[in-house]
Amino acid sequence: MRTSTRGSRRLMALAAAAALTTGLLAGCAEDSDDGPSNEGGGGGKTTLTVGTFGTFGYKQAGLYDEYMKLNPDITIKENVTTKTDVYWPKVLTRLQAGAGTDDIQAIEVGNVTEAVQTQADKFVDLGKEVDKSQWLDWKNAQATTKDGKLIGLGTDIGPMAVCYRKDLFQKAGLETDRTKLAEQWKGDWGKYVDLGKEYMKKAPSGTKFVDSASSVYNAVLNGASERYYDKDGNVVWEKSAGVKTAWDTAMEVATSDMSAKLKQFEKPWDQGYANATFATVACPAWMIGYILEQSGDAGKGKWDVAAAPTAGNWGGSFIGVPTASKHQKEAIALAKWLTAPEQQAKVFAKQASFPSAPSAYSTLKPADATTEYFSNAPITEIFSASAKTIPTQYFGVKDQPIGTALTDIGILQVEQKGKSPEEGWDAATEEIKDVLGQ
Amino acid sequence: MTSSKQALAHSASSADAAPGEQPGAAGRAHGRGTPPEPGPGSWRSKLYRWDMKASPYAFISPFFIVFGAFSLVPLLYTAWYSLHNVQLSDLDGQSWAGLKNYENLLSSDFFWNSLWVTFTIGVISTVPQLLMAIGLAHLLNYKLRGSVVWRVVMLTPYATSVAAATLVFVLLYSWDGGMINWMLGFVGIDPVNWTESDWGSKFAVSTIVIWRWTGYNALIYLAAMQAIPADLYESAAIDGANRWQQFLHVTIPQLRPTILFTVVVSTIGATQLFGEPLLFGGVSGSKGGSGHQFQTLGLYMYDQGWIIGNLGKASAIAWSMFLILLIVAAVNLLISRRLRKSQ
């Protein structure tokens, strides 16, 4: 469930390469190659398959084993595709072929609008099966079609905070108390950037304030109520106030020297965590687990978490049941169980993936090791507070590629090639035109 | 020339004969391989003859069935798609577009850019690679201690997966902390941003290709070199040619068909270059860098089809690549004819 708008893309290159080759060679003719696992039948045992990408944490938190113990006639198998951009095209082709899908299929937030708008008839309407009020309203809204069909149940969400290195802040002579820091930048990411300028004046050698301009861009954009599309599904990215604020803030970072100029989810970024070369990172809940993993023992007790300037949501997923599933009833029951508040709390305890069910918040407990690692920061309260004030955001069919064009073409050209913000914007514009087929 | 023409005519006539070779027509046939049988009308002998005729087709059919199912049908399907507006998310909702996808391509900067990138990376990877391969093969052709070991070592990069190799190169070329920039630092050269610079990235991708394929080509050359009769060298030596002159005037001319073969294979490989740049580009690898500086045709197709979801246009790119390969093959045919004539 560690997801981002780029999906969770830790390069598992072998899998990627293999999938790419088959994808390229066989294209669409290959849809129904491995109709998985529906051969349950024998001995009354039903095998359910769960298709996910990245680390969802169900297995890690022992949920499958628990469910199989509660339901002896069910066997669960998880099919993981590591990269979202490999996973999703595969799901799309299989959904349309009506064959080869898993009984439960995960949907990333960046793809959910596409699923709602183009694949709604391929998914079971879960709205009648569950008590919708257990999820945050905006989470439900993202997976609901115009005529009120709920195609996916919310798993985690990505409420945002800022993670920072207390030790580096101290060396740079900045405030280190998380509450006072949050006060300093409250309401405006611009103030956060201003603090970055302060930081750079006395920055410990070899360190920068933030990992990348793109991460600042995403942090700002994910708190805005308007992104690339309006409520009615029209492309408005060029005029969107959210995009403009996010772009301008990111440009301020990109044209200063406060960015370590890393690309998220790439190896040098991981090394940046390990070597403490940047002092802050925009921190959706799932980032906690990532920092733990990458910063390692050396970062223990040096990281801290403060509330973000504005609340926002970065990442998060849904699970849906394709109508092609041969065990719909069992699959719906499993999906319901996996996304119930109690189970979400268990995943949080293991992976720090933040629940989309508010009733779980009172029971949330991060692992002791996590708390200790982040200087005893009350991460549960910080993320809960953020989660409750996140605006409803409307995503569009081409949300992902538009976002990639702005960050990986536009911002990167400014940040790494020294182009002017105008040139970066133009390059992104040209790219987006290509994406939208204009 | 004549012999190949004969072969062609021969195969054509046997193909014509094929439809006639139905079970019912077996009595009429009197082809090779049918031994004189007592009682030509007997059921057994009919079966036997039929078996003689049909079995070869049955034996070779798996390839053609698999080829048809997994190559020909997708190829034709791709052609069909390339004439439609097709979105990955709505495969059934396709609408006729005629040649619009191709027109879009021809007017797209990204397409011409990727064509240029494919060409330049192709040249700067293929040329040094083949030159180095010939040199290495020549060295390996000397009597060496442990020659088998050297040959196996040569083939190791080829046996390594693209992904593994590329990931290592990505680390070597990493902007800060990469080994290559670190070494450049010793000579006083400023660190190069290998992924983002225009020629730097092309160079970096080429080195991955060169690293992987040089040994492979060297072994092909070596095999060909060992087939060159030793007396050619002996007589050259008697004529007073030194090693270098022997290489130039005996080895190279004798290798000509082999060189041509490797050039063709490498050109096809270069046109389809995909895995190395994709993985070199990291998380948004299909863009080939923020300025598309190493986006090859293969990457552009992948980006259009599977990232952006525009399958119609991606299919058009696929077919354009196919046409380009046909042109490459035709040019190669012309050159090889000329070479053969000049011999």
Side-chain angles (χ1 to χ4, degrees), chain A residues 241-268:
Chain A
V243 174
K244 182 160 182 3
T245 319
W247 176 266
D248 291 344
T249 316
M251 281 305 114
E252 235 187 292
V253 175
T255 51
S256 70
D257 66 340
M258 70 172 79
S259 164
K261 303 184 181 182
L262 298 166
K263 267 178 96 181
Q264 293 202 321
F265 300 102
E266 284 190 359
K267 203 81 200 154

mmCIF file of all heavy atoms in Angstrom, chain A residues 241-268:
data_model
loop_
_atom_site.group_PDB
_atom_site.id
_atom_site.type_symbol
_atom_site.label_atom_id
_atom_site.label_comp_id
_atom_site.label_asym_id
_atom_site.label_seq_id
_atom_site.Cartn_x
_atom_site.Cartn_y
_atom_site.Cartn_z
ATOM 1 N N ALA A 241 -5.784 26.444 -10.430
ATOM 2 C CA ALA A 241 -5.098 27.213 -9.381
ATOM 3 C C ALA A 241 -4.153 26.312 -8.597
ATOM 4 O O ALA A 241 -3.053 26.729 -8.216
ATOM 5 C CB ALA A 241 -6.130 27.835 -8.445
ATOM 6 N N GLY A 242 -4.579 25.083 -8.376
ATOM 7 C CA GLY A 242 -3.742 24.139 -7.632
ATOM 8 C C GLY A 242 -2.424 23.889 -8.332
ATOM 9 O O GLY A 242 -1.350 23.921 -7.727
ATOM 10 N N VAL A 243 -2.510 23.673 -9.647
ATOM 11 C CA VAL A 243 -1.290 23.411 -10.413
ATOM 12 C C VAL A 243 -0.386 24.635 -10.381
ATOM 13 O O VAL A 243 0.830 24.526 -10.205
ATOM 14 C CB VAL A 243 -1.629 23.031 -11.870
ATOM 15 C CG1 VAL A 243 -0.366 22.909 -12.705
ATOM 16 C CG2 VAL A 243 -2.403 21.720 -11.909
ATOM 17 N N LYS A 244 -0.980 25.824 -10.511
ATOM 18 C CA LYS A 244 -0.160 27.030 -10.553
ATOM 19 C C LYS A 244 0.616 27.232 -9.247
ATOM 20 O O LYS A 244 1.818 27.458 -9.267
ATOM 21 C CB LYS A 244 -1.055 28.258 -10.834
ATOM 22 C CG LYS A 244 -0.242 29.532 -10.936
ATOM 23 C CD LYS A 244 -0.974 30.624 -11.662
ATOM 24 C CE LYS A 244 -0.172 31.908 -11.827
ATOM 25 N NZ LYS A 244 1.194 31.926 -11.355
ATOM 26 N N THR A 245 -0.110 27.101 -8.118
ATOM 27 C CA THR A 245 0.572 27.254 -6.828
ATOM 28 C C THR A 245 1.677 26.216 -6.681
ATOM 29 O O THR A 245 2.802 26.539 -6.284
ATOM 30 C CB THR A 245 -0.430 27.067 -5.669
ATOM 31 O OG1 THR A 245 -1.641 27.716 -6.010
ATOM 32 C CG2 THR A 245 0.116 27.620 -4.381
ATOM 33 N N ALA A 246 1.339 24.972 -7.017
ATOM 34 C CA ALA A 246 2.311 23.900 -6.851
ATOM 35 C C ALA A 246 3.530 24.137 -7.740
ATOM 36 O O ALA A 246 4.676 23.978 -7.319
ATOM 37 C CB ALA A 246 1.669 22.554 -7.187
ATOM 38 N N TRP A 247 3.281 24.546 -8.986
ATOM 39 C CA TRP A 247 4.364 24.787 -9.929
ATOM 40 C C TRP A 247 5.264 25.930 -9.441
ATOM 41 O O TRP A 247 6.489 25.793 -9.406
ATOM 42 C CB TRP A 247 3.793 25.088 -11.316
ATOM 43 C CG TRP A 247 4.844 25.439 -12.327
ATOM 44 C CD1 TRP A 247 5.273 26.689 -12.656
ATOM 45 C CD2 TRP A 247 5.614 24.534 -13.123
ATOM 46 N NE1 TRP A 247 6.258 26.620 -13.607
ATOM 47 C CE2 TRP A 247 6.494 25.306 -13.912
ATOM 48 C CE3 TRP A 247 5.657 23.138 -13.236
ATOM 49 C CZ2 TRP A 247 7.388 24.731 -14.802
ATOM 50 C CZ3 TRP A 247 6.547 22.574 -14.135
ATOM 51 C CH2 TRP A 247 7.399 23.360 -14.902
ATOM 52 N N ASP A 248 4.628 27.029 -9.041
ATOM 53 C CA ASP A 248 5.420 28.186 -8.611
ATOM 54 C C ASP A 248 6.272 27.850 -7.394
ATOM 55 O O ASP A 248 7.441 28.237 -7.317
ATOM 56 C CB ASP A 248 4.498 29.376 -8.299
ATOM 57 C CG ASP A 248 3.866 29.930 -9.573
ATOM 58 O OD1 ASP A 248 4.376 29.598 -10.663
ATOM 59 O OD2 ASP A 248 2.865 30.674 -9.474
ATOM 60 N N THR A 249 5.666 27.113 -6.446
ATOM 61 C CA THR A 249 6.434 26.738 -5.263
ATOM 62 C C THR A 249 7.604 25.842 -5.648
ATOM 63 O O THR A 249 8.738 26.017 -5.187
ATOM 64 C CB THR A 249 5.534 25.993 -4.252
ATOM 65 O OG1 THR A 249 4.283 26.678 -4.160
ATOM 66 C CG2 THR A 249 6.169 25.942 -2.885
ATOM 67 N N ALA A 250 7.323 24.892 -6.527
ATOM 68 C CA ALA A 250 8.377 23.969 -6.952
ATOM 69 C C ALA A 250 9.483 24.709 -7.694
ATOM 70 O O ALA A 250 10.667 24.389 -7.553
ATOM 71 C CB ALA A 250 7.795 22.870 -7.839
ATOM 72 N N MET A 251 9.094 25.749 -8.469
ATOM 73 C CA MET A 251 10.088 26.501 -9.226
ATOM 74 C C MET A 251 11.029 27.257 -8.291
ATOM 75 O O MET A 251 12.221 27.392 -8.553
ATOM 76 C CB MET A 251 9.401 27.492 -10.175
ATOM 77 C CG MET A 251 8.864 26.853 -11.434
ATOM 78 S SD MET A 251 10.135 25.932 -12.317
ATOM 79 C CE MET A 251 9.568 24.271 -12.177
ATOM 80 N N GLU A 252 10.442 27.728 -7.182
ATOM 81 C CA GLU A 252 11.280 28.433 -6.218
ATOM 82 C C GLU A 252 12.349 27.494 -5.661
ATOM 83 O O GLU A 252 13.506 27.881 -5.457
ATOM 84 C CB GLU A 252 10.403 28.958 -5.076
ATOM 85 C CG GLU A 252 10.558 30.451 -4.869
ATOM 86 C CD GLU A 252 9.806 30.897 -3.643
ATOM 87 O OE1 GLU A 252 8.548 30.834 -3.684
ATOM 88 O OE2 GLU A 252 10.464 31.285 -2.665
ATOM 89 N N VAL A 253 11.942 26.239 -5.448
ATOM 90 C CA VAL A 253 12.888 25.243 -4.949
ATOM 91 C C VAL A 253 13.908 24.887 -6.032
ATOM 92 O O VAL A 253 15.115 24.835 -5.785
ATOM 93 C CB VAL A 253 12.141 23.973 -4.496
ATOM 94 C CG1 VAL A 253 13.119 22.886 -4.098
ATOM 95 C CG2 VAL A 253 11.204 24.294 -3.350
ATOM 96 N N ALA A 254 13.392 24.690 -7.256
ATOM 97 C CA ALA A 254 14.263 24.208 -8.330
ATOM 98 C C ALA A 254 15.327 25.232 -8.715
ATOM 99 O O ALA A 254 16.428 24.873 -9.127
ATOM 100 C CB ALA A 254 13.432 23.837 -9.554
ATOM 101 N N THR A 255 14.990 26.517 -8.601
ATOM 102 C CA THR A 255 15.947 27.529 -9.036
ATOM 103 C C THR A 255 16.837 28.007 -7.888
ATOM 104 O O THR A 255 17.716 28.834 -8.094
ATOM 105 C CB THR A 255 15.211 28.748 -9.639
ATOM 106 O OG1 THR A 255 14.206 29.175 -8.715
ATOM 107 C CG2 THR A 255 14.551 28.398 -10.953
ATOM 108 N N SER A 256 16.600 27.491 -6.691
ATOM 109 C CA SER A 256 17.507 27.819 -5.594
ATOM 110 C C SER A 256 18.456 26.636 -5.420
ATOM 111 O O SER A 256 18.442 25.709 -6.207
ATOM 112 C CB SER A 256 16.721 28.037 -4.310
ATOM 113 O OG SER A 256 16.213 26.790 -3.883
ATOM 114 N N ASP A 257 19.281 26.672 -4.386
ATOM 115 C CA ASP A 257 20.184 25.530 -4.211
ATOM 116 C C ASP A 257 19.730 24.639 -3.057
ATOM 117 O O ASP A 257 20.502 23.880 -2.516
ATOM 118 C CB ASP A 257 21.619 26.022 -3.987
ATOM 119 C CG ASP A 257 21.748 26.776 -2.673
ATOM 120 O OD1 ASP A 257 20.705 27.239 -2.155
ATOM 121 O OD2 ASP A 257 22.878 26.905 -2.163
ATOM 122 N N MET A 258 18.436 24.735 -2.698
ATOM 123 C CA MET A 258 17.997 23.991 -1.522
ATOM 124 C C MET A 258 17.578 22.557 -1.837
ATOM 125 O O MET A 258 17.238 21.796 -0.945
ATOM 126 C CB MET A 258 16.850 24.724 -0.820
ATOM 127 C CG MET A 258 15.552 24.712 -1.574
ATOM 128 S SD MET A 258 14.216 25.392 -0.563
ATOM 129 C CE MET A 258 14.483 27.142 -0.715
ATOM 130 N N SER A 259 17.601 22.193 -3.122
ATOM 131 C CA SER A 259 17.159 20.858 -3.488
ATOM 132 C C SER A 259 18.343 19.934 -3.745
ATOM 133 O O SER A 259 19.327 20.333 -4.361
ATOM 134 C CB SER A 259 16.283 20.930 -4.738
ATOM 135 O OG SER A 259 16.157 19.659 -5.307
ATOM 136 N N ALA A 260 18.217 18.695 -3.271
ATOM 137 C CA ALA A 260 19.261 17.703 -3.530
ATOM 138 C C ALA A 260 19.137 17.151 -4.948
ATOM 139 O O ALA A 260 19.952 16.342 -5.375
ATOM 140 C CB ALA A 260 19.194 16.570 -2.513
ATOM 141 N N LYS A 261 18.081 17.593 -5.675
ATOM 142 C CA LYS A 261 17.875 17.233 -7.090
ATOM 143 C C LYS A 261 17.820 15.736 -7.329
ATOM 144 O O LYS A 261 18.337 15.230 -8.312
ATOM 145 C CB LYS A 261 18.982 17.845 -7.962
ATOM 146 C CG LYS A 261 19.076 19.349 -7.832
ATOM 147 C CD LYS A 261 20.102 19.911 -8.773
ATOM 148 C CE LYS A 261 20.196 21.419 -8.592
ATOM 149 N NZ LYS A 261 21.127 22.044 -9.491
ATOM 150 N N LEU A 262 17.204 15.033 -6.418
ATOM 151 C CA LEU A 262 17.087 13.587 -6.589
ATOM 152 C C LEU A 262 15.741 13.254 -7.210
ATOM 153 O O LEU A 262 14.812 14.054 -7.175
ATOM 154 C CB LEU A 262 17.224 12.898 -5.229
ATOM 155 C CG LEU A 262 18.572 13.131 -4.555
ATOM 156 C CD1 LEU A 262 18.526 12.718 -3.094
ATOM 157 C CD2 LEU A 262 19.641 12.346 -5.298
ATOM 158 N N LYS A 263 15.644 12.072 -7.797
ATOM 159 C CA LYS A 263 14.351 11.622 -8.302
ATOM 160 C C LYS A 263 13.821 10.576 -7.339
ATOM 161 O O LYS A 263 14.507 9.621 -7.000
ATOM 162 C CB LYS A 263 14.503 11.015 -9.696
ATOM 163 C CG LYS A 263 14.269 12.028 -10.795
ATOM 164 C CD LYS A 263 14.471 11.400 -12.152
ATOM 165 C CE LYS A 263 13.139 10.936 -12.741
ATOM 166 N NZ LYS A 263 13.356 10.290 -14.063
ATOM 167 N N GLN A 264 12.581 10.770 -6.919
ATOM 168 C CA GLN A 264 12.043 9.859 -5.919
ATOM 169 C C GLN A 264 11.941 8.433 -6.453
ATOM 170 O O GLN A 264 11.688 8.226 -7.631
ATOM 171 C CB GLN A 264 10.672 10.350 -5.459
ATOM 172 C CG GLN A 264 10.775 11.671 -4.697
ATOM 173 C CD GLN A 264 9.588 11.920 -3.790
ATOM 174 O OE1 GLN A 264 8.471 11.628 -4.153
ATOM 175 N NE2 GLN A 264 9.829 12.472 -2.614
ATOM 176 N N PHE A 265 12.135 7.500 -5.577
ATOM 177 C CA PHE A 265 12.060 6.070 -5.865
ATOM 178 C C PHE A 265 13.180 5.585 -6.767
ATOM 179 O O PHE A 265 13.081 4.541 -7.372
ATOM 180 C CB PHE A 265 10.698 5.672 -6.441
ATOM 181 C CG PHE A 265 9.577 5.993 -5.496
ATOM 182 C CD1 PHE A 265 8.780 7.097 -5.691
ATOM 183 C CD2 PHE A 265 9.366 5.198 -4.389
ATOM 184 C CE1 PHE A 265 7.781 7.404 -4.792
ATOM 185 C CE2 PHE A 265 8.364 5.495 -3.492
ATOM 186 C CZ PHE A 265 7.569 6.609 -3.695
ATOM 187 N N GLU A 266 14.241 6.377 -6.881
ATOM 188 C CA GLU A 266 15.418 5.877 -7.574
ATOM 189 C C GLU A 266 16.536 5.667 -6.560
ATOM 190 O O GLU A 266 16.516 6.232 -5.470
ATOM 191 C CB GLU A 266 15.850 6.850 -8.674
ATOM 192 C CG GLU A 266 14.946 6.745 -9.877
ATOM 193 C CD GLU A 266 15.443 7.506 -11.080
ATOM 194 O OE1 GLU A 266 16.499 8.150 -10.989
ATOM 195 O OE2 GLU A 266 14.756 7.446 -12.109
ATOM 196 N N LYS A 267 17.499 4.879 -6.990
ATOM 197 C CA LYS A 267 18.567 4.461 -6.085
ATOM 198 C C LYS A 267 19.267 5.633 -5.372
ATOM 199 O O LYS A 267 19.462 5.597 -4.161
ATOM 200 C CB LYS A 267 19.574 3.625 -6.880
ATOM 201 C CG LYS A 267 20.381 2.692 -6.018
ATOM 202 C CD LYS A 267 19.613 1.424 -5.689
ATOM 203 C CE LYS A 267 20.225 0.765 -4.467
ATOM 204 N NZ LYS A 267 19.253 -0.061 -3.745
ATOM 205 N N PRO A 268 19.662 6.681 -6.104
ATOM 206 C CA PRO A 268 20.358 7.794 -5.430
ATOM 207 C C PRO A 268 19.510 8.434 -4.332
ATOM 208 O O PRO A 268 20.041 8.941 -3.348
ATOM 209 C CB PRO A 268 20.622 8.782 -6.568
ATOM 210 C CG PRO A 268 20.621 7.954 -7.793
ATOM 211 C CD PRO A 268 19.609 6.884 -7.555
#
